[in-house]
Amino acid sequence: QVLGTHVAQKGSLVAPERLRFDFSHTKPMSAEEIAAVEAMANAFVLQNSPVETRLMGIEEAMQTGAMALFGEKYGEEVRVVSMGVGTAGAKANKAWSVELCGGTHVGRTGDIGFFKITSEGGIASGVRRIEAVTGEGALQAVKATDATLKRVASALRATPAELEAKVTQLLEQQKKFE
Protein backbone atom coordinates (compact mmCIF):
# COMPACT_ATOMS: atom_id res chain seq x y z
CA GLN A 1 0.00 0.00 0.00
CA VAL A 2 2.90 2.38 0.61
CA LEU A 3 5.53 1.29 -1.94
CA GLY A 4 3.44 -0.21 -4.73
CA THR A 5 2.04 -3.48 -6.04
CA HIS A 6 5.46 -4.75 -7.19
CA VAL A 7 6.47 -5.40 -3.56
CA ALA A 8 6.57 -9.05 -2.52
CA GLN A 9 7.78 -10.67 0.68
CA LYS A 10 11.17 -12.35 0.29
CA GLY A 11 11.73 -13.58 3.83
CA SER A 12 11.12 -12.77 7.47
CA LEU A 13 11.99 -13.45 11.07
CA VAL A 14 9.51 -12.97 13.90
CA ALA A 15 10.77 -13.02 17.49
CA PRO A 16 9.03 -11.89 20.71
CA GLU A 17 10.22 -8.26 20.58
CA ARG A 18 11.74 -7.81 17.13
CA LEU A 19 11.23 -8.70 13.50
CA ARG A 20 12.97 -8.69 10.17
CA PHE A 21 11.09 -8.36 6.89
CA ASP A 22 12.72 -8.76 3.47
CA PHE A 23 10.87 -7.51 0.40
CA SER A 24 11.35 -6.74 -3.27
CA HIS A 25 11.90 -3.02 -3.97
CA THR A 26 14.48 -1.23 -6.07
CA LYS A 27 15.32 1.82 -3.94
CA PRO A 28 15.65 2.86 -0.31
CA MET A 29 12.48 3.81 1.52
CA SER A 30 12.15 7.52 2.27
CA ALA A 31 11.60 8.78 5.81
CA GLU A 32 7.99 9.52 4.84
CA GLU A 33 7.46 5.97 3.57
CA ILE A 34 8.93 4.48 6.73
CA ALA A 35 6.66 6.72 8.83
CA ALA A 36 3.63 5.66 6.74
CA VAL A 37 4.42 1.95 7.22
CA GLU A 38 4.86 2.46 10.98
CA ALA A 39 1.58 4.39 11.22
CA MET A 40 -0.29 1.71 9.26
CA ALA A 41 1.16 -1.14 11.34
CA ASN A 42 0.40 0.64 14.61
CA ALA A 43 -3.18 1.39 13.50
CA PHE A 44 -3.79 -2.33 12.92
CA VAL A 45 -2.08 -3.27 16.19
CA LEU A 46 -4.36 -0.83 18.03
CA GLN A 47 -7.45 -2.50 16.54
CA ASN A 48 -6.66 -5.30 18.99
CA SER A 49 -8.47 -7.70 16.68
CA PRO A 50 -8.28 -11.44 17.29
CA VAL A 51 -5.69 -13.48 15.42
CA GLU A 52 -7.50 -16.41 13.85
CA THR A 53 -5.71 -19.63 12.92
CA ARG A 54 -7.29 -22.29 10.73
CA LEU A 55 -5.90 -25.56 9.38
CA MET A 56 -6.85 -26.34 5.79
CA GLY A 57 -5.63 -27.86 2.59
CA ILE A 58 -3.16 -25.86 0.50
CA GLU A 59 -5.64 -25.43 -2.39
CA GLU A 60 -8.37 -24.15 -0.08
CA ALA A 61 -5.88 -21.82 1.61
CA MET A 62 -4.85 -20.28 -1.72
CA GLN A 63 -8.53 -19.77 -2.63
CA THR A 64 -8.99 -17.70 0.55
CA GLY A 65 -6.35 -15.31 -0.77
CA ALA A 66 -3.70 -16.37 1.73
CA MET A 67 -0.26 -15.00 0.91
CA ALA A 68 2.45 -17.62 0.41
CA LEU A 69 6.17 -17.11 -0.08
CA PHE A 70 7.37 -18.04 -3.55
CA GLY A 71 9.64 -21.06 -3.37
CA GLU A 72 8.55 -22.15 0.12
CA LYS A 73 7.61 -25.80 0.59
CA TYR A 74 4.18 -26.37 2.09
CA GLY A 75 2.57 -29.63 3.12
CA GLU A 76 -0.90 -30.87 2.24
CA GLU A 77 -2.34 -29.16 5.31
CA VAL A 78 -1.31 -25.59 6.17
CA ARG A 79 -1.96 -23.04 8.90
CA VAL A 80 -3.77 -19.94 7.66
CA VAL A 81 -3.47 -16.97 10.01
CA SER A 82 -5.70 -13.93 9.55
CA MET A 83 -5.81 -10.71 11.52
CA GLY A 84 -6.86 -7.09 11.42
CA VAL A 85 -9.86 -5.52 9.76
CA GLY A 86 -9.44 -3.57 6.54
CA THR A 87 -10.81 -0.04 6.70
CA ALA A 88 -11.05 0.86 3.00
CA GLY A 89 -11.01 -0.50 -0.52
CA ALA A 90 -11.32 -4.18 -1.40
CA LYS A 91 -10.37 -5.20 2.15
CA ALA A 92 -12.97 -3.04 3.91
CA ASN A 93 -14.52 -5.06 6.75
CA LYS A 94 -12.48 -8.14 5.78
CA ALA A 95 -9.32 -9.62 7.27
CA TRP A 96 -6.45 -7.25 6.50
CA SER A 97 -3.77 -9.93 6.57
CA VAL A 98 -4.30 -13.56 5.55
CA GLU A 99 -1.13 -15.60 5.32
CA LEU A 100 0.29 -19.09 5.51
CA CYS A 101 2.24 -19.19 8.73
CA GLY A 102 4.25 -21.74 10.63
CA GLY A 103 3.26 -20.41 14.03
CA THR A 104 0.97 -17.98 15.78
CA HIS A 105 2.78 -15.47 17.92
CA VAL A 106 -0.07 -13.52 19.56
CA GLY A 107 -3.72 -14.03 20.40
CA ARG A 108 -4.76 -10.48 19.46
CA THR A 109 -3.01 -7.80 17.41
CA GLY A 110 -2.85 -5.58 20.50
CA ASP A 111 -0.51 -8.14 22.11
CA ILE A 112 2.17 -6.87 19.69
CA GLY A 113 2.29 -3.49 21.41
CA PHE A 114 4.04 -0.52 19.86
CA PHE A 115 5.78 -1.12 16.48
CA LYS A 116 8.92 0.87 15.56
CA ILE A 117 11.14 0.41 12.48
CA THR A 118 14.79 0.63 13.53
CA SER A 119 16.50 0.18 10.17
CA GLU A 120 15.92 -0.18 6.43
CA GLY A 121 18.53 -1.17 3.89
CA GLY A 122 19.45 -3.20 0.86
CA ILE A 123 20.54 -6.82 1.28
CA ALA A 124 20.69 -7.91 -2.38
CA SER A 125 19.93 -6.52 -5.80
CA GLY A 126 16.27 -5.47 -5.70
CA VAL A 127 15.75 -6.75 -2.15
CA ARG A 128 15.36 -4.47 0.88
CA ARG A 129 15.10 -5.30 4.59
CA ILE A 130 13.37 -3.54 7.42
CA GLU A 131 14.11 -4.41 11.00
CA ALA A 132 11.69 -3.39 13.71
CA VAL A 133 11.07 -3.77 17.40
CA THR A 134 7.75 -4.27 19.16
CA GLY A 135 6.33 -4.10 22.65
CA GLU A 136 8.90 -3.52 25.36
CA GLY A 137 11.69 -3.58 22.76
CA ALA A 138 10.05 -0.67 20.92
CA LEU A 139 9.59 1.29 24.13
CA GLN A 140 13.27 0.77 25.02
CA ALA A 141 14.33 1.93 21.52
CA VAL A 142 12.26 5.11 21.83
CA LYS A 143 13.65 5.77 25.33
CA ALA A 144 17.22 5.36 24.03
CA THR A 145 16.57 7.74 21.12
CA ASP A 146 14.97 10.26 23.47
CA ALA A 147 17.95 10.08 25.84
CA THR A 148 20.38 10.63 22.94
CA LEU A 149 18.34 13.59 21.72
CA LYS A 150 18.40 15.14 25.19
CA ARG A 151 22.19 14.64 25.54
CA VAL A 152 22.83 16.25 22.14
CA ALA A 153 20.50 19.14 22.98
CA SER A 154 22.26 19.67 26.28
CA ALA A 155 25.70 19.64 24.61
CA LEU A 156 24.49 22.30 22.16
CA ARG A 157 22.79 24.29 24.93
CA ALA A 158 19.39 23.94 23.30
CA THR A 159 16.13 22.18 23.89
CA PRO A 160 15.24 19.16 21.72
CA ALA A 161 12.71 21.36 19.90
CA GLU A 162 15.47 23.89 19.08
CA LEU A 163 17.95 21.31 17.79
CA GLU A 164 17.19 21.57 14.09
CA ALA A 165 17.63 25.36 14.08
CA LYS A 166 20.76 25.11 16.24
CA VAL A 167 22.41 22.53 13.97
CA THR A 168 21.53 24.57 10.88
CA GLN A 169 23.10 27.64 12.52
CA LEU A 170 26.26 25.70 13.41
CA LEU A 171 26.59 24.33 9.87
CA GLU A 172 26.26 27.84 8.43
CA GLN A 173 28.94 29.08 10.83
CA GLN A 174 31.22 26.21 9.81
CA LYS A 175 30.79 27.07 6.11
CA LYS A 176 31.75 30.69 6.86
CA PHE A 177 34.87 29.58 8.75
CA GLU A 178 35.90 27.27 5.89
Side-chain angles (χ1 to χ4, degrees):
Q1 289 178 301
V2 174
L3 301 178
T5 57
H6 66 282
V7 173
Q9 182 176 342
K10 296 294 183 182
S12 67
L13 165 78
V14 178
E17 292 181 355
R18 68 184 183 92
L19 65 94
R20 180 182 71 225
F21 185 79
D22 301 338
F23 58 99
S24 58
H25 193 54
T26 57
K27 62 183 181 178
M29 292 174 67
S30 68
E32 293 80 15
E33 290 168 333
I34 290 171
V37 169
E38 284 180 343
M40 186 180 296
N42 281 307
F44 283 100
V45 166
L46 287 171
Q47 284 182 353
N48 197 30
S49 64
V51 175
E52 297 177 14
T53 303
R54 295 176 291 157
L55 293 175
M56 60 182 70
I58 187 73
E59 293 296 323
E60 181 186 0
M62 300 312 278
Q63 289 173 1
T64 69
M67 298 290 292
L69 284 177
F70 178 76
E72 287 285 324
K73 303 286 186 213
Y74 296 102
E76 290 297 315
E77 189 173 72
V78 294
R79 291 168 48 94
V80 178
V81 178
S82 52
M83 65 189 79
V85 179
T87 56
K91 292 208 172 202
N93 299 316
K94 296 180 183 173
W96 183 64
S97 175
V98 181
E99 302 184 31
L100 302 184
C101 183
T104 303
H105 309 286
V106 295
R108 301 186 71 83
T109 59
D111 297 345
I112 295 166
F114 179 52
F115 171 87
K116 177 72 179 150
I117 294 175
T118 56
S119 69
E120 187 276 344
I123 59 167
S125 180
V127 180
R128 311 290 302 169
R129 171 176 287 168
I130 61 170
E131 294 190 38
V133 286
T134 60
E136 187 62 33
L139 293 175
Q140 293 304 319
V142 169
K143 285 180 185 178
T145 299
D146 188 52
T148 299
L149 186 64
K150 287 176 181 173
R151 284 192 308 274
V152 170
S154 177
L156 295 175
R157 295 189 177 136
T159 66
E162 299 166 333
L163 270 180
E164 186 175 3
K166 185 72 166 183
V167 170
T168 300
Q169 176 188 21
L170 289 172
L171 291 171
E172 289 172 0
Q173 285 177 348
Q174 182 182 358
K175 283 181 185 176
K176 287 179 184 175
F177 290 142
E178 288 174 356

Coordinates of all heavy atoms in Angstrom, one line a residue, residues 11-72:
G11 N 11.3 -12.9 2.6 CA 11.7 -13.6 3.8 C 11.3 -12.8 5.1 O 11.0 -11.6 5.0
S12 N 11.5 -13.5 6.2 CA 11.1 -12.8 7.5 C 11.6 -13.6 8.7 O 12.0 -14.7 8.6 CB 9.6 -12.6 7.6 OG 9.0 -13.8 7.8
L13 N 11.7 -12.9 9.8 CA 12.0 -13.4 11.1 C 11.1 -12.8 12.1 O 11.0 -11.5 12.1 CB 13.4 -13.2 11.5 CG 13.7 -13.5 13.0 CD1 13.9 -14.9 13.2 CD2 15.0 -12.7 13.4
V14 N 10.4 -13.5 12.9 CA 9.5 -13.0 13.9 C 10.0 -13.5 15.2 O 10.0 -14.8 15.4 CB 8.0 -13.3 13.6 CG1 7.2 -12.7 14.8 CG2 7.6 -12.7 12.3
A15 N 10.4 -12.6 16.1 CA 10.8 -13.0 17.5 C 9.9 -12.2 18.5 O 9.2 -11.3 18.0 CB 12.3 -12.7 17.7
P16 N 9.9 -12.5 19.8 CA 9.0 -11.9 20.7 C 9.0 -10.4 20.7 O 8.0 -9.7 20.8 CB 9.5 -12.4 22.1 CG 10.0 -13.8 21.7 CD 10.7 -13.6 20.4
E17 N 10.2 -9.7 20.5 CA 10.2 -8.3 20.6 C 10.9 -7.6 19.4 O 11.2 -6.4 19.4 CB 10.9 -7.8 21.9 CG 10.1 -8.1 23.1 CD 10.7 -7.6 24.4 OE1 11.8 -7.2 24.4 OE2 10.0 -7.8 25.4
R18 N 11.1 -8.4 18.3 CA 11.7 -7.8 17.1 C 11.3 -8.6 15.9 O 10.8 -9.7 16.0 CB 13.3 -7.8 17.2 CG 13.9 -9.1 17.2 CD 15.4 -9.0 17.4 NE 16.0 -10.3 17.3 CZ 16.5 -10.8 16.2 NH1 16.5 -10.1 15.1 NH2 17.0 -12.0 16.2
L19 N 11.5 -8.0 14.7 CA 11.2 -8.7 13.5 C 12.1 -8.2 12.4 O 12.7 -7.1 12.5 CB 9.8 -8.5 13.1 CG 9.3 -7.1 12.7 CD1 9.4 -6.9 11.2 CD2 7.9 -6.9 13.2
R20 N 12.2 -9.0 11.4 CA 13.0 -8.7 10.2 C 12.0 -9.0 9.0 O 11.4 -10.1 9.0 CB 14.2 -9.5 10.1 CG 15.1 -9.3 8.9 CD 16.3 -10.2 8.8 NE 15.9 -11.5 8.6 CZ 16.3 -12.6 9.2 NH1 17.2 -12.5 10.2 NH2 15.9 -13.8 8.9
F21 N 12.0 -8.1 8.0 CA 11.1 -8.4 6.9 C 11.8 -8.0 5.6 O 12.3 -6.8 5.5 CB 9.8 -7.5 7.0 CG 8.8 -7.8 6.0 CD1 8.0 -8.9 6.0 CD2 8.7 -6.9 4.9 CE1 7.0 -9.1 5.1 CE2 7.7 -7.1 3.9 CZ 6.9 -8.3 4.0
D22 N 12.0 -9.0 4.7 CA 12.7 -8.8 3.5 C 11.7 -8.7 2.4 O 10.7 -9.4 2.4 CB 13.7 -9.9 3.2 CG 14.7 -10.1 4.2 OD1 15.0 -9.1 5.0 OD2 15.3 -11.2 4.3
F23 N 11.9 -7.7 1.4 CA 10.9 -7.5 0.4 C 11.5 -7.0 -0.9 O 12.6 -6.4 -0.8 CB 9.8 -6.5 0.9 CG 10.4 -5.2 1.3 CD1 10.3 -4.1 0.5 CD2 10.9 -5.0 2.6 CE1 10.8 -2.9 0.8 CE2 11.4 -3.8 3.0 CZ 11.4 -2.7 2.1
S24 N 10.9 -7.2 -2.0 CA 11.4 -6.7 -3.3 C 11.0 -5.2 -3.4 O 9.9 -4.8 -3.2 CB 10.7 -7.5 -4.4 OG 9.3 -7.4 -4.4
H25 N 12.0 -4.5 -3.7 CA 11.9 -3.0 -4.0 C 13.2 -2.5 -4.5 O 14.3 -3.0 -4.0 CB 11.5 -2.3 -2.7 CG 11.0 -0.9 -2.9 ND1 10.0 -0.6 -3.8 CD2 11.4 0.3 -2.4 CE1 9.8 0.7 -3.8 NE2 10.6 1.3 -2.9
T26 N 13.2 -1.6 -5.4 CA 14.5 -1.2 -6.1 C 15.2 0.0 -5.5 O 16.3 0.2 -5.9 CB 14.2 -0.9 -7.6 OG1 13.2 0.1 -7.6 CG2 13.7 -2.2 -8.3
K27 N 14.6 0.6 -4.5 CA 15.3 1.8 -3.9 C 15.0 1.9 -2.4 O 14.1 1.4 -1.9 CB 14.9 3.1 -4.7 CG 13.4 3.4 -4.5 CD 13.0 4.6 -5.3 CE 11.6 4.9 -5.2 NZ 11.1 6.1 -5.9
P28 N 15.9 2.7 -1.7 CA 15.7 2.9 -0.3 C 14.3 3.5 0.0 O 13.8 4.3 -0.8 CB 16.8 3.8 0.1 CG 17.8 3.6 -0.9 CD 17.1 3.4 -2.2
M29 N 13.7 3.2 1.1 CA 12.5 3.8 1.5 C 12.8 5.2 2.0 O 13.8 5.4 2.7 CB 11.8 3.0 2.6 CG 11.3 1.7 2.2 SD 10.6 0.7 3.6 CE 9.2 1.6 4.1
S30 N 12.0 6.2 1.7 CA 12.1 7.5 2.3 C 11.7 7.5 3.7 O 11.0 6.6 4.2 CB 11.3 8.5 1.5 OG 9.9 8.3 1.7
A31 N 12.1 8.6 4.4 CA 11.6 8.8 5.8 C 10.1 8.8 5.9 O 9.5 8.3 6.8 CB 12.2 10.1 6.4
E32 N 9.5 9.4 4.9 CA 8.0 9.5 4.8 C 7.4 8.1 4.6 O 6.3 7.8 5.2 CB 7.5 10.5 3.7 CG 7.9 11.9 4.0 CD 9.3 12.3 3.6 OE1 10.0 11.5 2.9 OE2 9.8 13.3 4.0
E33 N 8.0 7.3 3.8 CA 7.5 6.0 3.6 C 7.6 5.1 4.8 O 6.7 4.4 5.2 CB 8.2 5.3 2.4 CG 7.8 5.9 1.0 CD 8.7 5.5 -0.1 OE1 9.9 5.2 0.1 OE2 8.3 5.5 -1.2
I34 N 8.7 5.2 5.5 CA 8.9 4.5 6.7 C 7.9 4.9 7.8 O 7.3 4.1 8.4 CB 10.4 4.7 7.3 CG1 11.3 3.9 6.3 CG2 10.5 4.2 8.7 CD1 12.8 4.2 6.6
A35 N 7.7 6.2 7.9 CA 6.7 6.7 8.8 C 5.3 6.2 8.5 O 4.5 5.9 9.4 CB 6.7 8.2 8.9
A36 N 4.9 6.1 7.2 CA 3.6 5.7 6.7 C 3.4 4.2 7.1 O 2.4 3.8 7.5 CB 3.5 5.9 5.2
V37 N 4.5 3.4 6.9 CA 4.4 2.0 7.2 C 4.2 1.8 8.7 O 3.4 1.0 9.2 CB 5.7 1.2 6.7 CG1 5.7 -0.2 7.3 CG2 5.7 1.2 5.2
E38 N 5.0 2.5 9.5 CA 4.9 2.5 11.0 C 3.4 2.8 11.4 O 2.8 2.2 12.2 CB 5.9 3.4 11.7 CG 7.3 2.9 11.7 CD 8.2 3.8 12.4 OE1 7.9 5.0 12.6 OE2 9.3 3.4 12.8
A39 N 2.9 3.9 10.8 CA 1.6 4.4 11.2 C 0.5 3.3 10.9 O -0.4 3.1 11.7 CB 1.3 5.7 10.5
M40 N 0.7 2.7 9.7 CA -0.3 1.7 9.3 C -0.2 0.5 10.2 O -1.2 0.0 10.6 CB 0.0 1.3 7.8 CG -1.0 0.3 7.2 SD -0.6 -0.1 5.5 CE -0.8 1.5 4.7
A41 N 1.0 0.0 10.5 CA 1.2 -1.1 11.3 C 0.6 -0.9 12.7 O -0.1 -1.7 13.3 CB 2.6 -1.5 11.4
N42 N 0.9 0.3 13.3 CA 0.4 0.6 14.6 C -1.1 0.8 14.6 O -1.8 0.4 15.6 CB 1.1 1.9 15.2 CG 2.5 1.5 15.7 OD1 2.6 0.6 16.5 ND2 3.5 2.2 15.2
A43 N -1.7 1.3 13.6 CA -3.2 1.4 13.5 C -3.8 0.0 13.6 O -4.8 -0.2 14.3 CB -3.6 2.1 12.2
F44 N -3.2 -1.0 12.9 CA -3.8 -2.3 12.9 C -3.5 -3.0 14.3 O -4.3 -3.8 14.8 CB -3.3 -3.2 11.7 CG -4.0 -2.8 10.5 CD1 -3.4 -2.0 9.5 CD2 -5.3 -3.3 10.2 CE1 -4.1 -1.6 8.4 CE2 -6.0 -2.9 9.1 CZ -5.4 -2.1 8.2
V45 N -2.4 -2.7 14.9 CA -2.1 -3.3 16.2 C -3.1 -2.7 17.2 O -3.7 -3.5 18.0 CB -0.7 -2.9 16.6 CG1 -0.5 -3.1 18.1 CG2 0.4 -3.7 15.8
L46 N -3.4 -1.4 17.1 CA -4.4 -0.8 18.0 C -5.8 -1.3 17.8 O -6.6 -1.1 18.8 CB -4.3 0.7 17.9 CG -3.0 1.3 18.5 CD1 -3.0 2.8 18.1 CD2 -3.0 1.1 20.0
Q47 N -6.1 -1.9 16.7 CA -7.4 -2.5 16.5 C -7.7 -3.6 17.6 O -8.8 -3.9 17.9 CB -7.6 -3.1 15.2 CG -7.8 -2.2 14.0 CD -8.0 -2.9 12.7 OE1 -7.9 -4.1 12.6 NE2 -8.4 -2.1 11.7
N48 N -6.6 -4.2 18.0 CA -6.7 -5.3 19.0 C -7.6 -6.4 18.5 O -8.3 -7.0 19.3 CB -7.0 -4.8 20.4 CG -6.7 -5.8 21.5 OD1 -5.8 -6.6 21.3 ND2 -7.5 -5.8 22.5
S49 N -7.6 -6.7 17.2 CA -8.5 -7.7 16.7 C -7.9 -9.1 17.0 O -6.7 -9.2 17.1 CB -8.6 -7.5 15.2 OG -7.4 -7.7 14.5
P50 N -8.8 -10.1 17.0 CA -8.3 -11.4 17.3 C -7.5 -12.0 16.1 O -7.7 -11.6 15.0 CB -9.5 -12.3 17.5 CG -10.6 -11.4 16.9 CD -10.2 -10.0 16.9
V51 N -6.5 -12.8 16.4 CA -5.7 -13.5 15.4 C -6.3 -14.9 15.3 O -6.4 -15.6 16.2 CB -4.2 -13.6 15.8 CG1 -3.4 -14.4 14.8 CG2 -3.6 -12.2 16.0
E52 N -6.8 -15.1 14.1 CA -7.5 -16.4 13.9 C -6.6 -17.4 13.1 O -6.0 -17.0 12.1 CB -8.8 -16.2 13.1 CG -9.8 -15.3 13.8 CD -11.0 -15.0 13.0 OE1 -11.3 -15.7 12.0 OE2 -11.8 -14.1 13.4
T53 N -6.5 -18.6 13.6 CA -5.7 -19.6 12.9 C -6.6 -20.8 12.5 O -7.4 -21.3 13.3 CB -4.6 -20.1 13.9 OG1 -3.8 -19.0 14.3 CG2 -3.7 -21.2 13.2
R54 N -6.5 -21.2 11.2 CA -7.3 -22.3 10.7 C -6.4 -23.3 10.0 O -5.4 -22.8 9.3 CB -8.4 -21.8 9.8 CG -9.4 -20.9 10.4 CD -10.4 -20.4 9.5 NE -9.7 -19.4 8.6 CZ -10.1 -19.0 7.4 NH1 -11.2 -19.6 6.9 NH2 -9.5 -18.1 6.7
L55 N -6.6 -24.5 10.1 CA -5.9 -25.6 9.4 C -6.7 -25.9 8.2 O -8.0 -26.1 8.3 CB -5.6 -26.8 10.2 CG -4.7 -26.6 11.4 CD1 -4.6 -27.9 12.2 CD2 -3.3 -26.2 10.9
M56 N -6.1 -26.0 7.0 CA -6.9 -26.3 5.8 C -5.9 -26.8 4.7 O -4.7 -26.7 4.9 CB -7.7 -25.2 5.3 CG -6.9 -23.9 4.9 SD -7.9 -22.5 4.3 CE -8.7 -22.0 5.9
G57 N -6.4 -27.4 3.7 CA -5.6 -27.9 2.6 C -5.0 -26.7 1.8 O -5.6 -25.6 1.9
I58 N -3.9 -26.9 1.2 CA -3.2 -25.9 0.5 C -4.0 -25.2 -0.6 O -4.0 -24.0 -0.7 CB -1.8 -26.4 -0.1 CG1 -1.0 -25.2 -0.7 CG2 -2.0 -27.4 -1.1 CD1 -0.4 -24.3 0.3
E59 N -4.8 -26.0 -1.3 CA -5.6 -25.4 -2.4 C -6.7 -24.5 -1.8 O -6.9 -23.4 -2.3 CB -6.3 -26.5 -3.2 CG -5.3 -27.4 -4.0 CD -4.6 -26.5 -5.1 OE1 -5.3 -25.6 -5.7 OE2 -3.4 -26.8 -5.3
E60 N -7.4 -25.0 -0.7 CA -8.4 -24.1 -0.1 C -7.8 -22.9 0.5 O -8.3 -21.8 0.4 CB -9.0 -25.0 1.0 CG -10.1 -24.2 1.8 CD -10.7 -24.9 3.0 OE1 -10.2 -26.1 3.3 OE2 -11.6 -24.4 3.6
A61 N -6.6 -23.0 1.0 CA -5.9 -21.8 1.6 C -5.6 -20.8 0.5 O -5.8 -19.6 0.7 CB -4.6 -22.2 2.3
M62 N -5.2 -21.2 -0.6 CA -4.9 -20.3 -1.7 C -6.1 -19.6 -2.2 O -6.1 -18.5 -2.6 CB -4.1 -21.0 -2.9 CG -2.8 -21.6 -2.4 SD -1.7 -20.5 -1.5 CE -1.0 -19.6 -2.8
Q63 N -7.2 -20.3 -2.2 CA -8.5 -19.8 -2.6 C -9.0 -18.7 -1.7 O -9.8 -17.8 -2.1 CB -9.6 -20.9 -2.8 CG -9.3 -21.8 -4.0 CD -10.3 -22.9 -4.0 OE1 -11.2 -23.1 -3.2 NE2 -10.1 -23.8 -5.0
T64 N -8.6 -18.7 -0.4 CA -9.0 -17.7 0.6 C -8.2 -16.4 0.3 O -8.5 -15.4 0.9 CB -8.8 -18.1 2.0 OG1 -7.3 -18.2 2.3 CG2 -9.5 -19.4 2.3
G65 N -7.2 -16.5 -0.5 CA -6.3 -15.3 -0.8 C -5.1 -15.3 0.1 O -4.4 -14.3 0.2
A66 N -4.8 -16.3 0.8 CA -3.7 -16.4 1.7 C -2.4 -16.1 0.9 O -2.2 -16.6 -0.1 CB -3.6 -17.7 2.4
M67 N -1.5 -15.3 1.5 CA -0.3 -15.0 0.9 C 0.7 -16.1 1.2 O 0.8 -16.5 2.4 CB 0.3 -13.7 1.5 CG -0.6 -12.5 1.1 SD -0.6 -12.1 -0.6 CE 1.1 -11.5 -0.8
A68 N 1.4 -16.6 0.2 CA 2.4 -17.6 0.4 C 3.8 -17.1 -0.2 O 3.8 -16.4 -1.2 CB 2.0 -18.9 -0.3
L69 N 4.9 -17.5 0.4 CA 6.2 -17.1 -0.1 C 6.5 -18.0 -1.3 O 6.4 -19.2 -1.2 CB 7.3 -17.3 1.0 CG 7.3 -16.3 2.1 CD1 8.4 -16.6 3.1 CD2 7.6 -14.9 1.5
F70 N 6.9 -17.3 -2.4 CA 7.4 -18.0 -3.5 C 8.6 -18.9 -3.2 O 9.5 -18.5 -2.5 CB 7.8 -17.0 -4.6 CG 8.3 -17.7 -5.9 CD1 7.4 -18.3 -6.8 CD2 9.6 -17.8 -6.2 CE1 7.8 -18.9 -7.9 CE2 10.1 -18.4 -7.3 CZ 9.2 -19.0 -8.2
G71 N 8.5 -20.2 -3.6 CA 9.6 -21.1 -3.4 C 9.6 -21.8 -2.1 O 10.3 -22.7 -1.8
E72 N 8.7 -21.4 -1.2 CA 8.6 -22.2 0.1 C 7.9 -23.5 -0.1 O 7.1 -23.7 -1.0 CB 7.7 -21.4 1.1 CG 8.4 -20.2 1.7 CD 9.5 -20.5 2.7 OE1 9.3 -21.5 3.5 OE2 10.5 -19.8 2.7

